Each structure stands twice: as C-alpha cells, then as structure tokens.
Amino acid sequence: MPLVSVVMPVHNSAVTLGSSVRSVLAQTHTDVELLITDDASTDDSMDLLQELARQDERVLPQAAPEQGGAAKARNLALARARGEYVAFLDSDDMWLPAKLERQIAFAAEGDAPLTFTSYYKVDGDYTGEACDFTPNGRVVEARERVTYRDMLVQDHIGALTAMYDRAALGTRLMPDMPKRQDYALWLAIMRNGNPARGMKEPLAIYRAGRAGSLSSNKLALVEHNWRLYRQHEHLSVPRSALALYGAAWHSLRKSRI
C-alpha cells in the first residue's frame, strides 16, 4: 500500500478545516500522512489542528515561521513529504471516501505521473461531511488526457483532485507566486512532455464562492494568469492573450455549474 503525502495549507480556516481533515482520515486508502502548514492563522485553526493531531497520528501540523502565502505554506509541507504519491487538498474542500483508492489504481494503470479527477461543486456555506454527501449533479468533468499544449489554453486540473507520482518525478515544489502556483506546477511537470490523465468519476467536493478563498476573486486571477504566461512560461503576447481568453472562458463555464 503506497504512502500518500497529502499537502494542505491553512489560513483562518477553522470553520471548514475539521471536515476537510476528516475527509482525508476517512479514506479507504489509509496509508496517508496529512502534512498541514498553518500560515499564521489568527483564528482557532492551529488549536483545532493540534487536537486533530492528538486524535490521529497521521495529522502532522506545522506552523509557518511567518505568513508567506499559499505557495510557501504548500512548499513547507512538500519539504516534509515521504510518500510515493503527493496529493493536494485545500482546507475548505473535501474528498469522497474512495478518492485515493480509486486514483492510485488509476495512476498505476497509465503512463502519466500527474492524475486528476472530476469533482462536485457545492455552495460556499455547505456544512456537511464528505462521508454523508449526496451527489448533486453539479460536476466539473475531467478530460481523459491533457497535454502541456492543452493546459496553456486553460487549466483543466482541479487542485483538490491533483496527485503526482513522487517516485517518478521527485519532490516538485510550487513556484512562489501569490496565486496560480498550482497551475504553474502542473505546467512545469508537463512541460517536458509528461501528459496528465483525468478520471471521469467525481471524487472530491469543492466549496464554490466562499468569501476569502484563494479562487473567490475571479477578476484578480486575470492579472496572475497573465504574469504566469509571460514570466513563467515565456509566451508571446499573442499566445498569452489566447491563453487568457481560454482561461476566462473555462472559468465562466465552471461558474455556471
């Protein structure tokens, strides 16, 4: 049973943190280490994490030395990773119980070191647990196969579903960017010809539009996407504009689900 390192950044997430952590601990694939970095929270997040760690030794919280943003928080967790696979989950999202079991089997069948799945959307004020979730028909569907070229047009990978093969790729850190660091990591993994494979089955739950979430301000992402295309991927202005149009269209389409 391969060990999976689960990376979770936390900042003032006490309201949703418990259900997110419990969705990892309730996985049918039980060999996990939940690497959590608290990014200088001012609410009860760290107290809750310490209590959860006392209840289950797989919960491994760490306090960041100072507030540095999601990329630095994730990278502090990644630096501690020991697993064969690395998976990502934010502290306001959840996994369905069989997520890791299904995805590991799916990853073992193919030649792609990066995999992802479809996922459900719920409203930002959703208070249920993943183990009690009833499918609601609001599904963001994963494409079966995505190349670097596809990803330049739009980000097809939901970060809450992404998992990469650390045994094949080594530990891959996220670029230190205020936002879109997950998108930049997928592009970096795929730049040298590694495709990503997607599972049609929805295996995660995304809280949409929660105030203060990393992706809640869609307009602000335009600037960060543009910087990503120009500075990190070194695309021309016309190609960056095309990519930005694709990203905007994809974001609009997802917002209607």
Side-chain angles (χ1 to χ4, degrees):
M1 186 179 291
L3 175 65
V4 180
S5 298
V6 183
V7 170
M8 180 182 290
V10 170
H11 180 69
N12 291 344
S13 303
V15 173
T16 58
L17 178 58
S19 59
S20 298
V21 169
R22 286 189 290 271
S23 78
V24 175
L25 301 180
Q27 290 294 299
T28 55
H29 179 94
T30 58
D31 199 3
V32 300
E33 56 175 12
L34 180 50
L35 305 171
I36 306 175
T37 303
D38 181 72
D39 190 29
S41 293
T42 57
D43 65 357
D44 296 330
S45 292
M46 196 60 191
D47 291 338
L48 176 57
L49 286 174
Q50 290 171 342
E51 177 59 29
L52 291 166
R54 283 191 288 269
Q55 297 173 9
D56 195 309
E57 62 183 6
R58 295 173 297 172
V59 180
L60 302 171
Q62 177 187 47
E66 59 183 6
Q67 186 174 353
K72 288 183 178 178
R74 288 179 172 126
N75 287 341
L76 284 170
L78 282 164
R80 297 189 285 150
R82 299 180 298 113
E84 181 177 338
Y85 293 98
V86 170
F88 299 88
L89 183 65
D90 284 345
S91 56
D92 54 353
D93 299 323
M94 295 179 287
W95 288 343
L96 295 178
K99 193 265 188 185
L100 287 181
E101 180 182 358
R102 303 276 180 85
Q103 192 167 4
I104 290 169
F106 177 76
E109 294 172 355
D111 58 352
L114 176 62
T115 60
F116 59 104
T117 81
S118 301
Y119 59 91
Y120 292 104
K121 287 180 66 175
V122 295
D123 293 337
D125 58 358
Y126 179 80
T127 58
E129 296 284 331
C131 59
D132 300 323
F133 178 71
T134 301
N136 59 10
R138 299 175 63 188
V139 178
V140 178
E141 293 189 357
R143 293 181 60 167
E144 292 184 3
R145 188 177 181 87
V146 177
T147 66
Y148 175 77
R149 193 180 190 90
D150 297 327
M151 287 288 285
L152 285 179
V153 177
Q154 61 189 49
D155 182 5
H156 293 278
I157 300 175
L160 72 163
T161 75
M163 184 179 77
Y164 74 75
D165 187 337
R166 183 168 166 268
L169 297 173
T171 300
R172 302 295 294 266
L173 301 180
M174 290 195 169
D176 189 6
M177 303 166 57
K179 294 184 180 180
R180 308 307 280 144
Q181 64 272 165
D182 51 347
Y183 187 13
L185 177 58
W186 318 147
L187 287 169
I189 289 174
M190 301 169 70
R191 190 179 299 126
N192 295 326
N194 293 314
R197 295 176 64 237
M199 293 184 67
K200 288 295 185 183
E201 183 179 6
L203 292 171
I205 303 168
Y206 172 75
R207 283 190 177 91
R210 191 177 67 85
S213 69
L214 288 175
S215 57
S216 60
N217 189 340
K218 301 300 183 185
L219 288 177
L221 294 180
V222 172
E223 176 186 352
H224 295 287
N225 274 15
W226 183 260
R227 186 177 298 126
L228 169 63
Y229 300 139
R230 295 287 289 145
Q231 297 180 6
H232 286 265
E233 299 307 311
H234 306 293
L235 302 184
S236 66
V237 170
R239 200 172 181 193
S240 295
L242 178 62
L244 196 63
Y245 173 81
W249 171 250
H250 184 58
S251 179
L252 177 62
R253 186 171 60 85
K254 286 198 300 183
S255 70
R256 294 176 175 174
I257 296 175

